[in-house]
Each structure stands twice: as structure tokens, then as C-alpha cells.
Amino acid sequence: MNETPVAKAGGTGGATGEETTTRMAQDGRSSTASKDDFHAELYQNWFRLADSDGDGRVTGADAVGFFERSGLPREQLAKVWAFADNSRRGYLDLDAFVRALELVSMFQSQGNITLSQYDEKKRQGGGIDPPMLEGLPTQVGPPPGASTPAEPFTPYYGTMGSSPSVMKAPTPSSTTRQTPYFGGPAMPLKETTPDVSKSHAGPFSTFHERHVGTTLPVSSKKLPSPREERKRGPMTAKDVTSITDGLRKMYFEKIRPVEEMYKFGHFFSPMLNEGDFEAKPSVLLLGQYSTGKTTFIKYLLGRNYPGLHIGPEPTTDRFVVVMHGPDDRRTPGNTLVVQTDKPFTGLSQFGNGFLSKFESATCENRLLEEITLVDTPGVLSGEKQRIERSYDFQQVCGWFAARCDLILLLFDPHKLDISDEFKHVISTLKGHDDKVRIVLNKADQVDQQQLMRVYGALMWSLGKVFQSPEVCRVYIGSFNANAPIREDVNPTCKPLFEKEQEDLLHDLYDIPARSCDRKINEFVKRVRAAKIHFLVMGHLRKQIPYFGQKKAQAKLLARLQEEFIHVQREYHLHPGDFPDVERYREILSAFDISKFPKLDKNVMRQIEEVLTTDIPNLVREMGNPFQK
């Protein structure tokens, strides 16, 4: 009997059909891995060449000189930069540089492409060939001027938002830092590839794999402290390498010294520190007790965070900042506020009564690599809100609201009433309306007709509280990690709940991409408020005589509203930019106005220069370098 080729291959001394298939697959993977390693080493050499100052960042000026070697028109190079620097940080780190190179290669081979085409190409696998760059070799070798061979690293080969591998930055290991994909605070990183399969996966994980991916460690040279710098003129691109650096430099050189003179931190919010500029974007959760705030966080994370407790009674009795960390750990509030690299030092003003009810919980989770979640105690009713808490709950909520990127107000169908206490808490969100989102949780517990009535009642109640013609965005769903959406009560609305949950997850995903713009917006808001404060205090100080100062101050405080109007007319300012008169009077009564410095025109010119020159120049210089 004649043997078939397969049977013959499976004979003694040969390989079975399965073994042959396995070996072919392994050979294919080996070939792909070898190709990826080749690209990775080549891209690292090019990154060293493009990074002119060796700080681990390819700035706009560096990118222009490097990517013009591709011969692409500036319109296409502008798209490459926009796709690679999608968080608008103003520079390319190693992984963003690799994406830019891959995009250039696709533009060269296919002509004009879209981001979705790039994502689809990455999903298909197989890698993308390096682009053709004039004057650069396509074989692996040390870059010009390099004294040591390039350190190999694992390349980023995923979609624009798929799970990339970890890369080693081309700078020494002592400066290696872990930075989230969309920016944020850097943390020391062990030079090992994390096992993604062991990470906790929540409902965000699947969404995250499609749109964001895991984090990438980036190398960054430590910048000199802005306090050590003495330059006071308008900033240029040579002074800073990112928008965050520029805002930090502006604040510590030009804004904070004036804030200290006029005690601005007592009237608006505490003065900023280094940690405030490097902080990750954050989400604040507010609501009455048992509306599902803690359960909502568990739903997002897909796991419990350290110290989590859920129950029908008011279980969360403290403010908990849920952050990313290599291990599960709880850190008390007094320890957090003395760490200047974290953005919580300003909370020390609320005293030990609050700090004993404040802590952080760190755990390993992909969502927390991008954002920080703030869990809060449920809003109580009656005198409990005022008497049973040893700190000002409303003021603490206002502090967090001013610094977070998104505020979620949670309701459930059985707790639609907004108590006076909750109304006062919501009033502290004034000025941050663009951050507020409403979550109607546990919506699967009522049928379709009841849900329609519940939604109408909720919108009516919110309209009375916010006193705004604009309608808040409301997400309807059931955010419970332990139980699926119930179909026995309201089966027809399950597709609606799923779509709403997807929209909310997309809103959370979009936070890191908008974080840089949010920082600029909050910084401008603070400088404008500081300018008003300086002008008001200068106006009041001018009217304090040498004798009879206490009597004169009492008169000024009594007619503070008229003084505000006078400042508005003198400097052509909008009334909406001025602070609340009663609160301002209450704070100012604790100070001696005669001790404040007189208004210095040079100081005000410096503040105006920040608003009209420095910030616009920074945004322009750190913007797309191919659109200038």
C-alpha cells in the first residue's frame, strides 16, 4: 500500500502532521519576532538621533528636522504629528515616536490615510516596514555620535489603542520612569515586562484594549526646579519641552510670588505645588449614601480596592483616593499631605479632623494607570451633616472639584430627592459645570414606564439646583460588578443600558486625552481669578489711611459690593469674574488690609503678560509643529 505524504511524514524518525504545523507556526513567530527586534533597534537608534538634547523627548523643532527627511508634504506630516501626539503634550516620547514612524511609512506606501486605517493595519498584525528617510541607513547600527551600542527594547506593535508591550527608553536605567499613555505623574519602574494576563480586568478592560492599551514607561531627564530659574521674560520653546513644563515655569516664576504677597490661597484655593502639575487626571464621585458610588468604582476596576466595604448603610465614612500602585496598600491622610510629589498637600488646611478621614488606596489596575478615582462619603441629611463630621464637608468637596477632570453625581431611582445638604454640596461645584455628569444608577430596578417618570423627576430636580438652561449629561444604567443587568423588571431597556454604559466608559477613556487642555483651562481660570483679587486688594489698600485704619477697614467691608463695582468700571472687568461678596467679606475680615502691599503696575503687567503672551505662545509652540 502506498503511503500518503502525510502518513509518510508521520512515520518513524519523522514528524506528525500536528508537529509539522506547530513547527511552522513557531518558525513564523520566530521570523516575526526577529523582524520586530530589527525594527525596534532601528527605531531606537533613530530616536537617539532625533532627540537632540537627549532628554527622552522629541520636541516639535526636533520632529520638523527629522521627519522632513521622509519627503512627505507638511499637510501629511501635520496628520502624523496629530495622530502620534494625540494627548497634545507637545513632544513625542519613545512609543509616540514609533507610532509616528509607522504612520510615515503608511503615508509613503499608501498615500493619504486615516487613523482608522492605521488601527486596522495594527490589528491585522505583521508589523509595518520602516519608512524611507533621506540620509538615514535602514540597517541596525549605532546612531551617529553614539559611543555605546543601543540598548534593545521591546517595540510597540499594537493598534493606536491596543495593548502595547513595554519599551525600554534609550536613556540610562536610573532615569527610567513610568508614564501613562496619555501623560501624568511618573513613577519608578522595574525594567521587566508586566504580565498583563495577571492584571485585574473590569468592564473597562475590554474597552481599554480596543481604545487605549497598557502603559508605556518613558525616559525623561529631570528638569531643573523652576524656583532655581531667574528668567522673567516671555517664554519660548527653548525654555520648556512640554505644556506642563511651561505652565509650571510660569506659575513658580510669575504667579506664585504675587499670590503669596496678596494671600490669594486663602481666598481662592491653596497655592499649587509640583505635584499639582504632574498629577494624573482624576474623577470625583458624589452622591447620597447607598447610591452605589463605591460599587461603581468596583464595577470600573473589576475588583475590590484596599479597604472597600459595600452595604445598604452609609459604609464609606472617609474620602478615599484610589490610585495605581504595584501592590495593594492603604496610606493615611497625614502621610499623604506631606508628600510634595503628590497633589494633596493643600488638604492640610482642613485639619486633623479631616485627615483622619482621608486616605489613599493603591492597587494594580489598567484604568488606574490612566486616571485616579476619588470615593467620597455619602451626603447625610439634617444636622448629621454639620454636627457629626469634624470638618467642613462642603469645602473639602469644593477643593477636590477644583482639581478633578470629571465630577459624577450618582442617583438611584429610589433616592431622587435632593436634600438641602446635597444642594449645598452641589453649589460648591459652581464654576465647574462643564465637568459635571449625572449617573442614574440601579435603573434596571424599575420598569420602562417608571423609568420615564424617574428620569423626568430627576431632570426637574436638577434644574432647580443648577439654575442653568443647559441640561447636564445623564447616563442611565446599572453599574454593578457582581450582578448583570436585570431583565425580569425591564427587559426592553437592556440595550439602552448597555449603550449608556459604553458611552460613560468612552467619556472616562477620553479624560486622559483631554487632560492637557484641562490643565491649561484651569490654569487660565486661576490666573484670571488671581488678577481680580490683586486689583481688588490694591484698590482697598489704597483707601486705608495712615491713622484710623480699623475704622476705615470696617467701612470698606460694609460697602464691599460697591467697591467691587468700582473696580469693575475702572478696569473694564466683567461682573461674573468677581468672587462671592459675602464669602470674600468673611475671609477678608480676618486680615489687616493695611498689611497688604500697594498695587504695583509692573506686577500687574507681568500677570497680564502671562494671560496675553506666555500662555498663547506656549500653546502655539507646543502645538503641531507642521502647522506653524
Side-chain angles (χ1 to χ4, degrees):
M1 180 181 296
N2 295 330
E3 294 180 343
T4 63
V6 174
K8 187 175 182 179
T12 305
T16 65
E18 292 182 358
E19 290 174 342
T20 302
T21 303
T22 302
R23 186 177 302 165
M24 290 174 62
Q26 291 175 344
D27 291 343
R29 285 196 299 267
S30 177
S31 175
T32 301
S34 177
K35 183 178 180 181
D36 289 352
D37 291 340
F38 173 84
H39 291 173
E41 198 170 349
L42 178 66
Y43 289 158
Q44 183 181 359
N45 289 344
W46 286 356
F47 183 81
R48 289 174 180 266
L49 178 64
D51 183 16
S52 59
D53 55 0
D55 64 348
R57 300 176 176 182
V58 175
T59 61
D62 294 336
V64 170
F66 183 85
F67 287 109
E68 282 184 344
R69 298 169 179 261
S70 65
L72 294 176
R74 293 184 71 91
E75 293 78 9
Q76 292 184 347
L77 290 176
K79 287 186 177 182
V80 168
W81 178 274
F83 293 163
D85 182 34
N86 59 348
S87 59
R88 294 189 59 191
R89 290 179 295 179
Y91 65 90
L92 302 179
D93 55 24
L94 187 55
D95 64 290
F97 182 76
V98 171
R99 288 197 300 276
L101 289 172
E102 293 176 335
L103 286 162
V104 168
S105 178
M106 291 188 65
F107 271 106
Q108 288 179 337
S109 61
Q110 303 179 26
N112 205 12
I113 66 169
T114 63
L115 182 58
S116 59
Q117 290 175 301
Y118 172 77
D119 288 341
E120 181 62 27
K121 177 69 174 178
K122 300 301 290 183
R123 274 191 290 269
Q124 293 173 358
I128 300 175
D129 292 332
M132 300 298 296
L133 302 177
E134 182 182 358
L136 293 183
T138 56
Q139 70 274 9
V140 177
S147 58
T148 58
E151 182 182 347
F153 69 99
T154 304
Y156 164 48
Y157 284 116
T159 65
M160 195 71 171
S162 67
S163 298
S165 302
V166 173
M167 285 194 238
K168 288 184 181 178
T171 53
S173 59
S174 60
T175 60
T176 301
R177 297 156 62 89
Q178 181 180 13
T179 302
Y181 176 68
F182 290 108
M187 298 181 298
L189 177 79
K190 296 180 180 179
E191 294 189 359
T192 57
T193 302
D195 186 358
V196 180
S197 63
K198 294 182 179 180
S199 63
H200 295 275
F204 184 82
S205 300
T206 304
F207 182 88
H208 190 274
E209 290 171 359
R210 295 199 305 269
H211 299 282
V212 182
T214 56
T215 58
L216 300 172
V218 183
S219 173
S220 176
K221 184 173 65 177
K222 181 175 178 57
L223 298 173
S225 171
R227 297 174 181 272
E228 301 173 357
E229 312 247 354
R230 293 293 179 264
K231 187 173 180 179
R232 290 294 184 269
M235 283 190 229
T236 65
K238 296 180 180 179
D239 300 319
V240 294
T241 58
S242 72
I243 287 180
T244 301
D245 293 340
L247 295 179
R248 184 197 298 112
K249 185 178 179 71
M250 274 183 240
Y251 179 74
F252 284 107
E253 289 189 355
K254 296 186 176 183
I255 305 300
R256 176 158 177 159
V258 190
E259 288 186 357
E260 292 173 347
M261 288 192 299
Y262 287 96
K263 313 296 181 185
F264 178 67
H266 296 273
F267 292 83
F268 187 77
S269 65
M271 289 180 288
L272 305 178
N273 55 41
E274 295 282 349
D276 291 307
F277 290 94
E278 295 295 341
K280 291 181 184 178
S282 59
V283 178
L284 175 67
L285 285 83
L286 293 172
Q288 302 180 91
Y289 75 92
S290 193
T291 54
K293 298 184 297 297
T294 306
T295 305
F296 181 80
I297 293 179
K298 181 180 178 181
Y299 168 83
L300 293 178
L301 301 182
R303 57 160 293 174
N304 293 340
Y305 64 78
L308 176 143
H309 178 57
I310 298 173
E313 74 281 4
T315 53
T316 304
D317 64 342
R318 59 190 64 228
F319 283 79
V320 182
V321 180
V322 187
M323 310 165 60
H324 178 264
D327 55 357
D328 291 3
R329 179 180 300 179
R330 299 170 66 182
T331 305
N334 281 287
T335 303
L336 285 173
V337 297
V338 297
Q339 301 180 43
T340 56
D341 61 327
K342 291 183 170 57
F344 307 121
T345 56
L347 289 170
S348 59
Q349 64 176 312
F350 299 109
N352 286 326
F354 166 73
L355 296 180
S356 63
K357 297 293 184 180
F358 172 58
E359 68 177 31
S360 72
T362 60
C363 58
E364 177 68 31
N365 189 272
R366 279 196 290 181
L367 173 60
L368 296 180
E369 293 175 354
E370 310 295 344
I371 63 177
T372 297
L373 303 173
V374 182
D375 196 6
T376 62
V379 179
L380 304 175
S381 59
E383 291 297 297
K384 293 181 180 180
Q385 181 76 18
R386 183 177 60 86
I387 297 176
E388 293 192 3
R389 284 180 171 141
S390 55
Y391 58 91
D392 193 327
F393 182 81
Q394 298 176 27
Q395 292 299 321
V396 173
C397 290
W399 188 93
F400 278 104
R403 286 161 174 75
C404 71
D405 292 72
L406 193 69
I407 304 171
L408 297 180
L409 299 182
L410 276 79
F411 296 85
D412 77 41
H414 306 292
K415 287 188 176 67
L416 293 179
D417 60 308
I418 300 178
S419 63
D420 291 340
E421 290 74 26
F422 196 18
K423 183 177 180 180
H424 293 155
V425 171
I426 294 177
S427 68
T428 63
L429 308 180
K430 183 179 180 181
H432 309 292
D433 299 357
D434 58 320
K435 303 179 184 179
V436 177
R437 305 288 187 274
I438 310 298
V439 177
L440 180 57
N441 198 13
K442 307 178 184 179
D444 60 344
Q445 297 182 1
V446 296
D447 61 33
Q448 189 172 7
Q449 183 181 21
Q450 291 174 329
L451 180 60
M452 180 182 65
R453 293 175 177 173
V454 165
Y455 182 83
L458 176 61
M459 298 305 294
W460 181 79
S461 299
L462 292 173
K464 295 178 62 178
V465 174
F466 282 99
Q467 298 179 350
S468 172
E470 289 81 13
V471 179
C472 297
R473 176 68 165 92
V474 180
Y475 297 99
I476 305 173
S478 179
F479 303 92
N480 191 336
N482 296 329
I485 298 175
R486 294 179 56 181
E487 299 185 62
D488 56 334
V489 178
N490 189 359
T492 58
C493 285
K494 182 180 179 180
L496 170 66
F497 297 155
E498 293 174 343
K499 184 64 170 64
E500 289 286 291
Q501 291 171 0
E502 182 78 6
D503 288 346
L504 178 55
L505 291 176
H506 187 276
D507 211 355
L508 291 173
Y509 145 72
D510 199 38
I511 290 175
R514 293 183 285 109
S515 178
C516 191
D517 293 331
R518 174 72 65 185
K519 286 182 179 180
I520 297 173
N521 183 70
E522 293 299 320
F523 187 80
V524 172
K525 187 188 301 183
R526 182 182 183 92
V527 175
R528 288 173 62 88
K531 175 185 173 182
I532 298 292
H533 174 71
F534 302 155
L535 292 174
V536 169
M537 293 309 304
H539 173 75
L540 298 177
R541 175 65 182 86
K542 185 171 59 176
Q543 300 184 66
I544 298 295
Y546 188 78
F547 297 103
Q549 294 178 349
K550 291 185 178 181
K551 186 176 180 180
Q553 177 166 331
K555 290 183 178 180
L556 287 175
L557 291 177
R559 62 170 191 266
L560 190 58
Q561 180 67 57
E562 289 77 8
E563 301 300 332
F564 275 12
I565 295 175
H566 183 85
V567 174
Q568 292 171 19
R569 293 174 177 173
E570 181 178 358
Y571 296 101
H572 307 288
L573 302 172
H574 193 277
D577 292 339
F578 280 73
D580 180 72
V581 176
E582 295 302 325
R583 181 175 180 273
Y584 201 87
R585 181 186 291 115
E586 179 183 355
I587 298 174
L588 187 57
S589 62
F591 292 92
D592 183 354
I593 298 180
S594 64
K595 301 298 183 182
F596 284 85
K598 294 183 178 180
L599 190 64
D600 188 339
K601 292 183 178 180
N602 290 329
V603 169
M604 294 311 302
R605 189 180 301 111
Q606 178 175 289
I607 300 299
E608 193 66 29
E609 183 181 75
V610 169
L611 290 172
T612 60
T613 304
D614 288 348
I615 295 178
N617 284 349
L618 177 67
V619 174
R620 182 172 58 254
E621 292 294 336
M622 294 295 112
N624 196 317
F626 298 99
Q627 291 181 333
K628 297 175 183 177

